[in-house]
Amino acid sequence: SRGLGDVYKRQVVGLDSWNNMGYLDYSYLNNLEVHTTRNQFINYNDSTIEDFILVYRNTYGTEPNEWTFLGYDIANYFLQALDKDGTAFQNFFALNQSRELSRSFSFKRVSNLNGFENKGLRMVKIENYYFTELKE
C-alpha cells in the first residue's frame, strides 16, 4: 500500500533553531525534504569558499571556522559600505544589501529610536543527507 508521501508532494519548513537540536533524526528530515533558514551557512562546495579556505590555510596555517567567516563577512560588508558611502553609510542600508561568503546582509530600520536589524537569511534544505543552499 502507498503512504501519503507517495501520493502528495510535501516539504517541511523549519526554524534555524532546529539545526541545534541534536536529537532530530536526519533520515526523517531528509525524507520530509526539510527546509530551514540560517543566519550563517558555509557552503563548502562553493569554489569561492574553497579559495578562501586555501588562502586562509596558507596564511595562518590552520583551518577557518564559523567565526572566521563571520568576521570576514562583517568586515567586508561594513568596510565596503564605509568606502562607498562614507561615515553616513547607515543612510544607505536599503541600497547596500549584500551576499557575503557565509552571511547575507539586509538591514531594516526597527524604529526611528532603535536602529537597524539584519533581516538577511539563507534558506537551506536537506538533500541526500546534506545541507544545500537554495539560491535566490
Side-chain angles (χ1 to χ4, degrees):
S1 111
R2 294 180 351 165
L4 289 179
D6 298 325
V7 177
Y8 298 102
K9 179 136 176 76
R10 77 249 175 258
Q11 292 179 342
V12 175
V13 178
L15 303 172
D16 188 30
S17 60
W18 285 19
N19 299 309
N20 300 325
M21 296 178 153
Y23 55 84
L24 289 177
D25 187 338
Y26 276 80
S27 63
Y28 291 127
L29 299 178
N30 189 72
N31 292 336
L32 292 172
E33 297 183 34
V34 169
H35 292 60
T36 63
T37 57
R38 291 270 180 103
N39 290 322
Q40 181 175 16
F41 180 72
I42 303 165
N43 181 1
Y44 288 99
N45 294 320
D46 183 279
S47 62
T48 306
I49 298 288
E50 290 174 356
D51 292 344
F52 177 84
I53 291 170
L54 286 174
V55 169
Y56 189 88
R57 211 182 270 155
N58 290 335
T59 303
Y60 300 105
T62 187
E63 294 295 309
N65 60 28
E66 67 183 41
W67 294 103
T68 307
F69 284 97
L70 177 61
Y72 178 84
D73 288 348
I74 289 172
N76 196 47
Y77 176 79
F78 283 103
L79 289 173
Q80 283 184 25
L82 183 63
D83 182 51
K84 180 179 169 201
D85 300 316
T87 57
F89 62 83
Q90 71 276 6
N91 296 328
F92 302 96
F93 274 153
L95 302 173
N96 291 327
Q97 296 183 18
S98 179
R99 182 180 177 78
E100 301 297 329
L101 291 179
S102 69
R103 290 238 173 186
S104 295
F105 293 97
S106 178
F107 286 97
K108 306 290 183 208
R109 184 175 283 284
V110 176
S111 74
N112 288 336
L113 300 175
N114 292 332
F116 298 87
E117 193 173 277
N118 184 16
K119 302 286 187 174
L121 293 172
R122 303 273 176 108
M123 181 66 80
V124 298
K125 67 178 179 174
I126 297 178
E127 184 174 61
N128 297 324
Y129 300 96
Y130 289 99
F131 283 104
T132 59
E133 185 173 2
L134 298 172
K135 300 293 182 183
E136 299 161 0

